[in-house]
Amino acid sequence: MTAFETIAGALDDLRIEVPSWAYGNSGTRFKVFGSPGTPRTVQEKISDAAAVHRVTGLTPKVALHIPWDRVEDVDALASFAADQGVELGTINSNTFQDDDFKFGGLTHHDEAIRRKAIDHHLECLDIMDRTGSRDLKIWLADGSNYPGQSDMRARQDRLADALHTIYERLGTDQRLVLEYKFFEPSFYHTDVPDWGTALTQVLALGEKAVVCLDTGHHAPGTNIEFIVMQLLRLGKLGSFDFNSRFYADDDLIVGSADPFQLFRIMVEVIRGGGFGPDADVAFMLDQCHNIEKKIPGQIRSVLNVQEMTARALLVDRPALTEAQEAGDVLGAHEIFMDAFYTDIRADLADWRADRGLPRDPMRAYAQSGYQEQIETDRVGGTPMSW
Amino acid sequence: MTAFETIAGALDDLRIEVPSWAYGNSGTRFKVFGSPGTPRTVQEKISDAAAVHRVTGLTPKVALHIPWDRVEDVDALASFAADQGVELGTINSNTFQDDDFKFGGLTHHDEAIRRKAIDHHLECLDIMDRTGSRDLKIWLADGSNYPGQSDMRARQDRLADALHTIYERLGTDQRLVLEYKFFEPSFYHTDVPDWGTALTQVLALGEKAVVCLDTGHHAPGTNIEFIVMQLLRLGKLGSFDFNSRFYADDDLIVGSADPFQLFRIMVEVIRGGGFGPDADVAFMLDQCHNIEKKIPGQIRSVLNVQEMTARALLVDRPALTEAQEAGDVLGAHEIFMDAFYTDIRADLADWRADRGLPRDPMRAYAQSGYQEQIETDRVGGTPMSW
Amino acid sequence: MTAFETIAGALDDLRIEVPSWAYGNSGTRFKVFGSPGTPRTVQEKISDAAAVHRVTGLTPKVALHIPWDRVEDVDALASFAADQGVELGTINSNTFQDDDFKFGGLTHHDEAIRRKAIDHHLECLDIMDRTGSRDLKIWLADGSNYPGQSDMRARQDRLADALHTIYERLGTDQRLVLEYKFFEPSFYHTDVPDWGTALTQVLALGEKAVVCLDTGHHAPGTNIEFIVMQLLRLGKLGSFDFNSRFYADDDLIVGSADPFQLFRIMVEVIRGGGFGPDADVAFMLDQCHNIEKKIPGQIRSVLNVQEMTARALLVDRPALTEAQEAGDVLGAHEIFMDAFYTDIRADLADWRADRGLPRDPMRAYAQSGYQEQIETDRVGGTPMSW
Amino acid sequence: MTAFETIAGALDDLRIEVPSWAYGNSGTRFKVFGSPGTPRTVQEKISDAAAVHRVTGLTPKVALHIPWDRVEDVDALASFAADQGVELGTINSNTFQDDDFKFGGLTHHDEAIRRKAIDHHLECLDIMDRTGSRDLKIWLADGSNYPGQSDMRARQDRLADALHTIYERLGTDQRLVLEYKFFEPSFYHTDVPDWGTALTQVLALGEKAVVCLDTGHHAPGTNIEFIVMQLLRLGKLGSFDFNSRFYADDDLIVGSADPFQLFRIMVEVIRGGGFGPDADVAFMLDQCHNIEKKIPGQIRSVLNVQEMTARALLVDRPALTEAQEAGDVLGAHEIFMDAFYTDIRADLADWRADRGLPRDPMRAYAQSGYQEQIETDRVGGTPMSW
């Protein structure tokens, strides 16, 4: 039995949610470049997500963003998704694009605006009741740009109150997943800037509140896998938003900037019980394909996660533990690196073939004609964008 | 004679160009919040800039951005500005918003696109011939997002060639000012990421090519005043783009994030001969007023530069040198800090009154009725924005 | 009544502990420069600390570091300190200089070494019983240098167990204060790298366990005053280690690198109830005077804290709140900055004179003859150092 | 012919200098941990370096550090090295450990101290005349800790003068290699903090002056391979100091923190002509093995460079260029990553066997008995250290 064969079965547990917004146009504050074939409707976004799932077998769920993906008939949308071979997943709220939220939503000093932000989340929960989604993911753009502009302490207290109201409305099997972010779009302070704050807030809520770790939302130099370890240890790691970065929240393809970091993260996920049949950590992408093609960008991303999961599973744990406890620094490091450097790509191709999937999903997509079709079909209308 | 009186005259040399785009709407990739009274035309932007000059006496020039500020009749625009009490200043080129420039402009692998980018700069020079502007400021968004995506070396060579072509077209009294930026909108590599690259490129051009230092365009922890010192020493500091930051290129009001850093920068400017009647370093703002009012934001900004210039002028140089050469670390530091901590605001109010300016420009603007007027008048039309 | 007069009384509550080790030699891994007059004994360190208190009136307590300051007769040392006019304060443990702790102390995989580290803390508590010290401050150098070298999760669990054992031994009025640090001396992972981890660990212990915030122990760009706000909100801010930094844990004089940051921190301390007669947050210095004179370096440091506390007290809270709730970004920022820019140095000189203290503590020390005396007296012996 | 076979010959050009000081004890400012078998003499350091060369075939030269490696009889030392199978290489100067250099060496305001620093470099050149070394490598610790402490501009001018004096003394085939470093041991300003300053200084000297790039000496987020590209383009990349880092100048084993970054660097080295029979870029290690065994640490390091050089050579350049010029972002990135992910370790083992080297140098060293021998033999004496 090869090393890969010992882990092949475990790979069957890997599922990665794809975000509907990844298929729309995105960019920087300087320019959003358009691209042919961009979806004009949420249905077209779901179709694109399904195209990713067909060639990878990894992405059975699509996350939605409200209000971007708001529809009259949620049940019809769920049926549409099912017809495409995917399900509706996590619901993401949005309190950063309404003019009322210029100075905050759930943290706003004006009770009426705060109430509006809360109501938006209750609407999201209504939608979740229809879609059967488990997770309400909350990322807050709230913060301030200038020292003195706002009262950080009062905002934190208001946030706690607002989250409590939302939490109370959760259904039995629903979770509130609170995401943190180091900075942007606020440039002086952010109301949930770090995992400590997210943890503090969810601990005050209860068992159904957990933390979302977006891999791009940390200060330079932060040891992200340490945070993964800690949140798993505390039973509070709810989900990942995968992407990668060189500088700020660059939202590049996961694993493209620092593949070894992704490996280390997956090692801690596995070490801490965050992966496997009984684990309840949701893996999601949250990326922007500003200049590359979006569907192949998503395929590349989930393959990167799959490849690093495979490498992480290959770590020889008994040998590693032995070296660690012997104080053998170089020996332990070498065992660790051996898994990272093992080229599992050919084995994964076989693994896919065994499961009726294309050996090379990137090529399979390129040859499928799907891209040409959407570029031809999707003429007119307004391409979806942030 | 008070300490302030010894430096009051020197303050008369301070001039800060304001950018036309600061009066339009700006924001982040997440949202551009609008505000009442936002200019719909370049003329309205110039009017707003003139309002800043009227209350501060510091901003006699307005920088333009092409194509945002492109007009049929440049001479008429210059006359309009003169009527408002200001002049047209630096011309800023733009090769980051045309779809052709998705993968670069002056560095693009396709010669036709490169030529288009060069031609855009030649058009800017044509405009400068009409406006009498001295400086063509070039900030390049060029770069790449993924390792392997592009050939950084070939791009650098193409950049050198393209800049050469532009440089050749400069008039006798014109300058090419090359700006560098650490990252954004490109997230893996940027073609002019640091002062070393900008210097390398302008040295290859000739005497009329100089470097623009944007205070927000550096890696975390960078000692910016050191770069100011070095570029002045080499005779290559052409201009400043002033703003401030906590994280990335936040484009906040200059002096708002780290006033002591602004002080240190001004100290080096003065030490290196970059300020005074014979200096040819252009001071400019380059900021985004995403959530604050734009005209008061500009007034606050130029006042911050003025206040820090005054404090920097107050440094007791002979005493400082003596302490430095005595190896008196704490003594030298204290002399330096004494200037920074001196509250010159009341003296500056007197200084303004002596020159027929309002003692408190922020209040003067608020009471002028200008803001209410533009909010009433500027209804309909399309607010200008990036 | 001037603005300063309204806050003068509040300044009487300011007390800053000085660390005994600040008077010994320190340096970088490259070189420790010696200086004449450096203490050879803990008594001489206490004398130096007392010299700081005599001219500032701000530093009635000296923190000790075990084993550096271990003595046979703790009571005699306490008496000696009392004779000098100061008290013994916080006890700092040390598990980073014994060869056994090369791979960790409280987190070590070897139970015997872990036990040794725990016993060291119990010894510290014994000392505290004699000195009457309230706080046992624990900074851990524990971590690893290479990915794979150690099991971060197991270490975190062992840390929790070890801290529990120490916590159990605390006397009624004693506290366990856990310090976090971003990195150094470990370069891959640190076992208590951030406030979230410190909080998590102290929450698991109980009421008498709190967090120490060292201002130099954060990732680049971290909003430290936000953490101050959050820990105060949670009732878990135990103490400060004050110092300042440009890059890593530079351990420079507090307020010398970014005085505005120190101001913002003090504003949040006051806002959150961390300062005043009933507050139980301990202010301490933790700095290295590598190249400057040590006693004047300490005087400068406590004066910087005092000056910024005064400025922070000057913030016009009602006006600030009004501007904040009106969404007046620039107005609120200006009220905030007005306090920062107010030059309170002359008022503080008067305040000192009113209390029988020298108006200018730096000059008073220089003229006291103390420095010349110790440089003459302290010849021979081994200067104390890290 | 396999892909590896096409590049196997090129690997014969790889040579990496090892530094004598890597075999001595090193640590952080907190603690230097000793280890059995540490050299007590420069000869023992050279023996250890030879042990690395025997099992890797990659390190025929040992760099020396003066005064650490100063000997009476340089010729005898060279003979000793030759007997061990290695040569003496780059000479590194040291102006950071003499008390006179507390406030700088080549930049010091006192001419006598500056002269002393210059003379030290002239002594190094005398040694180089005897050893036949090509490179005088100059890393300066010069800088300051507090704003205002020193006159950065005057220091830069003095540095230029001092380097000029040293440069004048270079022999025909000798080079002056100037290293830059972002910070440490100075914490406010460093006199040669970035590649731009190093370039500026060496350009003013002449052809025989070049820049040393230490991979750990940059601000967070810096794109190091871009600097490699630029310096090669300008013909000014003299040498590398290889190591790796997560935070500051951690001096960890090269390739251990971010192997993909090392790959990208080697790709640019090859792209820019910095590798091969005619290239004159010197590859060196500059690391600290604080907690791991030193000789195996060096072996691991040179193997990492070798492995990444092999992967970098595997990049399919024609295919990459085609994808780049087609604007195929994902295609180009995939070609690039394909080389990185190719596991060349088994091929390299064969390559070694073909050349009479052990297939697995780490195991070969472990089994050689050398480590046990030195641990037994080197008892007594003073272990060498920084």
Side-chain angles (χ1 to χ4, degrees), chain A residues 20 31 71 77 82-83 86 132 146 202 225 238 267 280 326 336 378:
Chain A
S20 69
K31 170 72 175 172
V71 291
L77 191 69
D83 290 347
V86 293
Y146 292 99
V202 303
E225 57 270 27
V267 167
D280 54 5
F336 194 78
R378 296 178 184 171

Side-chain angles (χ1 to χ4, degrees), chain A residues 28 246-247 249-250 252 290, chain B residues 144-145 183-189:
Chain A
T28 69
F246 287 96
Y247 305 96
D249 184 33
D250 305 341
L252 300 177
N290 295 349
Chain B
S144 67
N145 277 3
F183 82 101
E184 195 210 20
S186 293
F187 295 127
Y188 163 58
H189 107 272

Side-chain angles (χ1 to χ4, degrees), chain A residues 169-189:
Chain A
R169 164 66 182 79
L170 286 180
T172 312
D173 296 323
Q174 292 174 340
R175 306 192 306 178
L176 183 160
V177 187
L178 184 61
E179 184 168 341
Y180 60 92
K181 184 174 181 181
F182 186 49
F183 82 100
E184 195 210 20
S186 293
F187 295 127
Y188 163 58
H189 108 272

Side-chain angles (χ1 to χ4, degrees), chain B residues 68 146 171 221 227 253 294 304 311 340 355:
Chain B
W68 298 341
Y146 292 98
I227 299 174
I253 288 175
K294 295 165 202 316
N304 282 356
R311 285 178 169 88
F340 175 67
R355 282 147 183 83

Side-chain angles (χ1 to χ4, degrees), chain D residues 27 30 56 96 104 130 143 157 177 224 297 337 346 352 370 372:
Chain D
F30 295 98
T56 64
F96 52 89
R130 308 303 296 268
D157 293 337
V177 187
I224 297 173
M337 298 310 290
R352 286 185 198 104
Y370 186 87
E372 293 77 3

Side-chain angles (χ1 to χ4, degrees), chain A residues 103 109 147-151 156-157 188 190 193-197 219 223 225-226 230 233 271 324-325 332-333, chain C residues 109 147-151 156-157 188 190 193-197 219 223 225-226 230 233 271 324-325 329 332-333:
Chain A
F103 297 123
H109 54 268
Q149 177 193 327
S150 66
D151 183 338
Q156 198 68 206
D157 293 337
Y188 163 58
T190 295
D194 51 23
W195 75 267
T197 295
N223 184 324
E225 57 270 27
F226 183 92
Q230 189 68 278
R233 177 176 172 266
R271 166 70 178 89
Q324 288 172 342
E325 300 196 346
H333 180 61
Chain C
H109 54 268
Q149 178 193 326
S150 66
D151 183 338
Q156 199 68 205
D157 293 337
Y188 163 58
T190 294
D194 51 24
W195 75 267
T197 295
N223 184 324
E225 57 270 27
F226 182 92
Q230 189 68 277
R233 176 176 174 267
R271 166 71 178 88
Q324 288 173 342
E325 299 195 348
V329 176
H333 180 61

